[in-house]
Amino acid sequence: MRNPLFFLPALVWAVIIFLIISLPPSSLPVPKHMSIPHFDKIVHFVIFFVFGMLLLVGFIKTKKPSVPVNRYMVLCLITGIVYGGLTEYLQHCCFTLRHGNIADFYANSAGTFFGVFAVVLVRKLKA
């Protein structure tokens, strides 16, 4: 890798995700006028969308000419899905007042997938 600092935004975002999932739900701000069904799934999707984007941008910036971007895409997807699963597992078994569930895991995974896809799409539109 040429410069690991390109991964710093993704690493900082991963730490922010961890801090958010470790907080009790009562300490998280939820607007009272929000009555969107499954709003928490939207939040999971968005935070992992950003995570997927930051990961792939980090890989692209450190890309070796001999390595196809597809390989980095797969690495980002695996990393995001595993991290999303880990966050749900930790919520389920380790953090009090938190409950991990499979629907949140699916939202995390979908967010990662679409975040990676968005970076690829933007790169193709620029080319």
Side-chain angles (χ1 to χ4, degrees):
M1 278 191 215
R2 294 185 186 145
N3 188 349
L5 289 178
F6 289 127
F7 288 103
L8 190 59
L11 181 61
V12 168
W13 192 249
V15 170
I16 290 169
I17 291 171
F18 182 80
L19 292 174
I20 291 170
I21 67 135
S22 63
L23 293 172
S26 60
S27 65
L28 297 173
V30 178
K32 293 193 183 346
H33 64 280
M34 282 290 205
S35 61
I36 299 172
H38 308 291
F39 181 71
D40 67 315
K41 305 307 178 255
I42 296 168
V43 171
H44 282 263
F45 179 91
V46 169
I47 64 175
F48 276 87
F49 180 91
V50 172
F51 185 59
M53 286 178 38
L54 292 173
L55 273 176
L56 187 55
V57 167
F59 274 115
I60 289 170
K61 288 184 176 183
T62 62
K63 182 181 178 324
K64 294 179 182 177
S66 61
V67 180
V69 173
N70 293 352
R71 186 170 294 166
Y72 294 129
M73 290 168 54
V74 170
L75 259 168
C76 290
L77 292 173
I78 291 170
T79 302
I81 290 169
V82 168
Y83 190 59
L86 179 65
T87 61
E88 293 309 312
Y89 176 75
L90 289 172
Q91 283 184 328
H92 181 72
C93 74
C94 300
F95 298 128
T96 55
L97 304 175
R98 299 296 293 199
H99 305 286
N101 65 53
I102 196 74
D104 290 346
F105 170 71
Y106 290 149
N108 298 346
S109 300
T112 300
F113 175 81
F114 283 101
V116 168
F117 179 74
V119 172
V120 171
L121 185 63
V122 167
R123 286 185 78 228
K124 285 188 183 211
L125 291 174
K126 284 184 176 182

